[in-house]
Amino acid sequence: MSKKLLALALSCMMLAGMLAGCGNSAGDTSKAPEGSDAGTESTAPDGSKAPAGEGAVYYLNFKPEQNDDWQALAEAYTAETGVPVTVVTAASGQYETTLMAEMGKSEAPTLFQVNGPVGLNNWKDYCYDLTGSKVLGELTSDDFALKSGSEVAGIGYVIETYGIIVNTKLLEKAGYTTADIQSFADLKKVADDIQARKDELGVKGAFTSAGMDSSSDWRFKTHLANLPIYFEYQADGIGSTEAIKGSFLDNYRQIWDLYITDATCAGPELSAKTGDDAVAEFVNGEAVFYQNGTWAYNDVKSLGDDSLAMIPLYVGAGDEANQGLCTGTENYWCVNKNASEADIQATLDFLYWCVTSDEGTTSMASDMGFVIPFKAAKESENLFVKQDAELTASGKTPVTWNFTTMPSEEWKNGVGSALTAYAADPTDGSWEAVKTAFVDGWATEYQLANG
């Protein structure tokens, strides 16, 4: 192992899985490329012609739920151009460790992902400078260019949204509509009533189980934890911090209390519950509410668009009357600068085709359900994407994704463990452990990550 990768391995012991989230299915078992011949000539990054047959693409994909779509798109590109494209998908929660292992191989990924500035710290020495590339020129905003100093190290390729997914038919059966839920107080009132009448309504709980195994815990130690971070950053007028204060942890506690009391199972059972459990409970009509994002649309769309909605994730903070859904990105494409010139150019060409061709943009919008920040983007058919756009158009303010500033995966794990313990024993003493993990853990992990 190279000295660079050895140092990275030590860092990844703290940051492994930083990209966890936005998916809960197992990864693809495709083999990594062992070298193959491309059928077309390509241009090397320096402008010279690379010999025919040398350029190939190896994409280490982060999103398990889109594995089949990427496999199909890769096949289509190869059929059209003759350039081999291999897609390997890491299992949920295992991206960082998989990337570290693959980067140590002779046939390393030519295309990989980081989740933002914190993730980039781990991999910036492997990132090709995308300045001047055609794919960078297709971005609709410079906000989606991830920089390392003066260089463009990554490109945000999908904008996603999360909130509380609602079975509107079950909600109506309980006597409510989404219009009745405009604040945390409203949400608690409705959820408490549904929980009290669950037998009458034929459900097991107001909320699906808040599973705390690795296929599900990212929804709470990362996505839900974004809310107290967001409101603290808003209050203090900052975009990151080396020492979180925990000013809104009482709000975090009250939404977590709702999740573990008005649910399909008791709090002590959550440690063994999975993401698949939550999906099954929602699709089978056993719960009215389910926290997740636009990426989960394919999991629940069998209920029909007329039975689905996504509402803001209210925690009783800020201007709730004007709060929108949580919208942002933690998915940045990076090109491996250590790949051959031919492979780098083949990778850049593939990315450009994905975001400009009819086949690429259609697949990303219709099959993957993505909103992509590129000029040729097509409108997504994803219901939750459309609802996010409608809320924003009506004047609601989206909640930004600030969890990309979380200092490490170890910090997330500490918060997740404390949340799990609190769910089993929801006392003030147990919540103090959550606060300690959140506040003290942040300061400790920030210092470790930043020397």
Side-chain angles (χ1 to χ4, degrees), residues 36-41 52-57 74-85:
S36 55
D37 293 335
T40 58
E41 195 173 62
E54 287 189 3
V57 181
E75 289 180 11
Y77 184 74
T78 298
E80 180 178 319
T81 67
V83 176
V85 179

Side-chain angles (χ1 to χ4, degrees), residues 3 13 51 80 105 130 161 195 261 278 327 380 385 392 395:
K3 291 181 179 179
M13 290 176 67
E80 180 178 319
K105 298 179 179 179
L130 296 165
T161 295
Q195 193 71 19
T261 56
T327 299
S380 174
V385 167
T392 302

Side-chain angles (χ1 to χ4, degrees), residues 18-19 113-123 146-147 329-332 334 403-405:
M18 179 64 78
L19 284 163
Q113 293 183 217
V114 298
N115 77 322
V118 174
L120 180 61
N121 283 338
N122 244 12
W123 295 101
L146 182 63
K147 291 192 173 183
T329 186
E330 64 164 348
N331 296 279
Y332 293 87
C334 301
F403 57 78
T404 56
T405 67

Side-chain angles (χ1 to χ4, degrees), residues 157-180:
Y157 72 90
V158 55
I159 305 165
E160 296 178 299
T161 295
Y162 67 92
I164 297 176
I165 300 173
V166 183
N167 183 322
T168 56
K169 294 293 179 60
L170 288 179
L171 185 64
E172 290 167 5
K173 184 178 179 181
Y176 304 99
T177 69
T178 55
D180 295 315

Side-chain angles (χ1 to χ4, degrees), residues 207-287:
F207 286 90
T208 60
S209 54
M212 293 303 289
D213 90 315
S214 62
S215 70
S216 174
D217 64 348
W218 49 268
R219 294 188 290 138
F220 313 109
K221 70 183 185 183
T222 303
H223 288 181
L224 187 62
N226 182 71
L227 275 297
I229 297 169
Y230 167 78
F231 286 113
E232 182 170 322
Y233 284 5
Q234 290 286 303
D236 294 350
I238 59 176
S240 64
T241 183
E242 63 184 44
I244 200 81
K245 295 185 296 188
S247 308
F248 292 87
L249 287 183
D250 286 346
N251 303 88
Y252 190 38
R253 181 180 185 177
Q254 67 181 6
I255 186 67
W256 185 239
D257 280 343
L258 199 61
Y259 283 4
I260 65 177
T261 56
D262 291 359
T264 57
C265 69
E269 298 175 36
L270 293 180
S271 61
K273 290 291 184 178
T274 69
D276 287 341
D277 290 331
V279 171
E281 291 162 8
F282 189 78
V283 172
N284 292 334
E286 297 173 358

